[in-house]
Amino acid sequence: MTLSRRSLPALGAAGAIGLGAPRLLRAQPAWPDRPLRLVVPFPAGSTPDILGRVLAPHYTAALGQPCVVDNRAGAGGNIGTDMVAKATDGHTFGLTINGPLATALALYPNLPYDPARDLAPISWLARAGQVLVVNPTLGVKSFADFVAKAKAEPGMLTFGSVGAGSGGHLAMEDIKARTGIALEHVPYRGFPQAVLDLVAGRISAIILTVAGILPQLREGQAVALAVTSEKRLPQLPAVPTLVESGLEGATSYAWNALVAPASMPAERIDRLARETRTALASPAVKQTLDTSGFEIVGSGPAELRAMVEAETARWGGMIRKLGITADG
């Protein structure tokens, strides 16, 4: 075959493309090419752990490599989240909550990572409204009754939380600021003892996710006054929201999110976000979240970043204004 001059440039271009493709593949091997590690900075059996373990099989099936859940509990989730921030293997990501992403920087002056600088958002997984409950012996049946009693007995009522700066603590501080009531804070190291003390009458009130108090509500050992979500919770359809109770803007949630080290390439983060949305649509994941009182969000990275920035400004600002510390 005789080649004309006009055909030579085209042949040269085609040849260049053909030769370049193998070099590109060698420079960028398929990902993932080893097992994935999903760090959960809370112990086995916790809500983030349960969610992580129901998501992991979906990543294994979709990405062709085992996804192993690695529990690294401690310091309110900061230890495991710091591990994610410092990971350099390109195959580590993490499932965490409000605290390590939105409030830890304000609570811990020596936090070893900066959430905004060292972590990359993947997906806002789910959120849960919380419920304000009181001991029945308090004699209040509504949020208005609660506020009136607190004003009539200033400083006499107490409220528990799962720790200083936790979601329930900050939600109650928000209520206090909006209503002018005074309550003494009693921090605990977890919700089981706080719930026991509420039922026993050693504390007056608590704000926590519905899954942590639903059995006591059904048994009449606690009274639900209001929920912090935008809409009423399916588990408590007769309980009004704080907004319905007259506190415009008092909405708040407990939430879970998926993050990666800031060094992880954007294409990997986007792929994890896509696979996460697919996993969240599965019946098994939906059932797990429904049981825990969470509603699915399934956002992309940009939505999660915007949400964390807003939460950091709101709750981090409150922590600094009130001088709240991790020690109480």
Side-chain angles (χ1 to χ4, degrees):
M1 180 178 67
T2 303
L3 296 174
S4 67
R5 286 180 175 271
R6 185 173 298 175
S7 66
L8 288 175
L11 178 62
I17 293 172
L19 291 174
R23 289 197 296 270
L24 181 62
L25 290 174
R26 285 195 296 271
Q28 297 183 2
W31 182 89
D33 58 358
R34 70 189 78 167
L36 293 158
R37 179 171 61 160
L38 176 56
V39 176
V40 175
F42 297 95
S46 62
T47 298
D49 174 70
I50 293 169
L51 180 54
R53 291 184 185 279
V54 77
L55 286 173
H58 291 270
Y59 298 130
T60 296
L63 299 174
Q65 289 286 347
C67 181
V68 180
V69 174
D70 186 0
N71 295 93
R72 297 300 179 107
N78 294 336
I79 291 175
T81 306
D82 179 52
M83 179 177 292
V84 174
K86 290 180 168 56
T88 58
D89 62 358
H91 289 69
T92 295
F93 58 118
L95 197 162
T96 190
I97 66 170
N98 311 44
L101 294 184
T103 60
L105 202 60
L107 280 171
Y108 298 89
N110 298 314
L111 193 70
Y113 64 95
D114 182 325
R117 182 194 64 211
D118 301 330
L119 292 166
I122 298 175
S123 178
W124 177 8
L125 301 173
R127 65 181 188 176
Q130 301 185 96
V131 55
L132 166 62
V133 299
V134 297
N135 183 280
T137 62
L138 206 61
V140 300
K141 300 296 183 182
S142 68
F143 180 73
D145 291 345
F146 176 70
V147 172
K149 187 172 182 66
K151 287 184 175 180
E153 303 174 17
M156 298 301 293
L157 303 188
T158 58
F159 75 97
S161 78
V162 298
S166 63
H169 177 202
L170 297 177
M172 187 66 89
E173 294 292 351
D174 190 42
I175 290 172
K176 288 168 59 179
R178 292 173 186 272
T179 60
I181 60 176
L183 293 86
E184 180 184 353
H185 178 221
V186 183
Y188 292 82
R189 290 188 175 274
F191 79 86
Q193 187 59 50
V195 170
L196 286 174
D197 280 3
L198 176 81
V199 171
R202 287 186 283 269
I203 56 174
S204 308
I206 192 171
I207 295 178
L208 73 172
T209 56
V210 66
I213 195 67
L214 195 56
Q216 290 77 15
L217 292 173
R218 288 172 174 164
E219 293 296 324
Q221 297 174 323
V223 177
L225 302 181
V227 296
T228 67
S229 48
E230 295 172 358
K231 299 177 181 179
R232 297 190 183 195
L233 299 179
Q235 300 90 342
L236 301 171
V239 180
T241 67
L242 285 172
V243 173
E244 288 179 284
S245 303
L247 291 192
E248 189 68 33
T251 301
S252 64
Y253 290 90
W255 44 264
N256 292 296
L258 207 64
V259 295
S263 60
M264 182 174 281
E267 60 271 17
R268 298 183 185 181
I269 289 173
D270 290 340
R271 187 173 181 191
L272 284 171
R274 291 195 303 271
E275 299 300 346
T276 298
R277 285 193 290 271
T278 300
L280 288 171
S282 73
V285 175
K286 187 178 187 305
Q287 181 179 5
T288 298
L289 289 168
D290 286 346
T291 302
S292 302
F294 280 77
E295 61 174 296
I296 293 172
V297 178
S299 81
E303 294 86 353
L304 174 57
R305 184 184 300 278
M307 187 273 290
V308 171
E309 288 176 352
E311 291 278 280
T312 300
R314 179 183 180 186
W315 302 115
M318 175 183 286
I319 288 168
R320 293 184 177 94
K321 179 180 179 180
L322 297 179
I324 297 171
T325 67
D327 297 327

